[in-house]
Amino acid sequence: MHFSSESVEVLIEQFLKLPTVGRKTARRLAAWVLKMPRGEVEALVAALLAVKDRVSECPICQNATDRLPCALCRSEKRDHSVVCVVEESSDVAALERTGEYSGVYHVLHGVISPLDGIGPDELKIRELVSRVAGKGETNTIGNEAPRIEEVILAVNPTVEGDTTAFYISQLLSSFDVTITRLARGLPIGGDLTYVDEATLSRALEGRRPM
């Protein structure tokens, strides 16, 4: 499929910048946009701009939010003594769908990957250590935040995920905190975002000490 429109080709190039989108998919998306009513296109553009204008990182858990701190960190119904460490904000949504976890989160925004030029300083690891040490945000729900008793490392079971989990466990080993890892019910090399709720629930229940 080839478009004679320069504007469509520019749109295709923009779609190609999205993760996992190849040229064939980018052309299919561009063709779909051509068929969309103008109102729907305007709504899509407005949603994209709103994400850039209104969404920021929660100063406590680093998750994407419209309000600071985020709803999970503000909630009095959450167990603030248990922190689940995940790679991306999408992993928070995946774990929340299980309905099995009642603690709070910490989003790393990636994993250690030397081949990609990503080291510990590029991630939100320093902020995690500060939370565990009690030097981070203390006023999460109108009161002093409780001491963190358990850190669940829910990074993906990949080489990079394992490296990141080991690095964090070493950093936190000097603190009086239990460090656990999700059970290996998760497929090796898998991504939390795409794992079904039942498997995630079992992985949470069967988490083991690091």
Side-chain angles (χ1 to χ4, degrees):
M1 185 189 303
H2 179 75
F3 295 95
S4 59
S5 168
E6 182 178 344
S7 297
V8 176
E9 293 298 332
V10 169
L11 179 59
I12 291 171
E13 292 302 318
Q14 294 303 311
F15 280 135
L16 283 171
K17 296 178 181 179
L18 298 175
T20 72
V21 174
R23 187 163 293 277
K24 185 175 181 180
T25 300
R27 291 186 178 280
R28 191 178 299 122
L29 290 171
W32 181 258
V33 170
L34 280 174
K35 297 177 181 178
M36 291 173 64
R38 182 180 179 86
E40 291 184 9
V41 175
E42 291 175 346
L44 174 61
V45 171
L48 291 172
L49 292 174
V51 165
K52 299 304 297 181
D53 292 341
R54 302 174 188 171
V55 177
S56 57
E57 292 176 4
C58 173
I60 301 172
C61 71
Q62 315 302 318
N63 194 12
T65 181
D66 290 336
R67 181 180 174 187
L68 304 178
C70 73
L72 293 174
C73 287
R74 292 196 314 271
S75 175
E76 297 181 1
K77 297 180 180 180
R78 311 294 297 203
D79 182 355
H80 292 260
S81 68
V82 181
V83 176
C84 185
V85 180
V86 297
E87 293 181 19
E88 304 290 352
S89 295
S90 57
D91 297 331
V92 173
L95 285 162
E96 283 297 287
R97 286 197 299 270
T98 69
E100 297 291 333
Y101 180 67
S102 60
V104 291
Y105 295 92
H106 189 89
V107 182
L108 297 174
H109 293 282
V111 286
I112 297 173
S113 179
L115 291 177
D116 297 318
I118 302 174
D121 292 340
E122 280 70 52
L123 306 176
K124 301 296 183 177
I125 295 177
R126 187 183 299 109
E127 290 81 355
L128 173 63
V129 175
S130 293
R131 287 182 74 181
V132 174
K135 297 178 181 178
E137 294 285 335
T138 57
N139 191 10
T140 58
I141 53 176
N143 302 300
E144 185 175 343
R147 185 179 73 85
I148 294 174
E149 299 178 358
E150 181 183 3
V151 173
I152 305 171
L153 298 176
V155 291
N156 292 318
T158 61
V159 172
E160 294 80 7
D162 289 344
T163 300
T164 305
F166 178 77
Y167 181 82
I168 292 174
S169 67
Q170 293 300 299
L171 286 180
L172 300 182
S173 61
S174 61
F175 297 100
D176 183 20
V177 60
T178 300
I179 305 170
T180 58
R181 184 89 188 266
L182 291 189
R184 287 294 185 174
L186 297 174
I188 300 300
D191 191 314
L192 246 63
T193 304
Y194 305 110
V195 176
D196 64 273
E197 287 86 348
T199 300
L200 269 179
S201 295
R202 288 194 295 272
L204 274 170
E205 293 171 359
R207 61 184 183 272
R208 55 180 175 78
M210 284 287 291

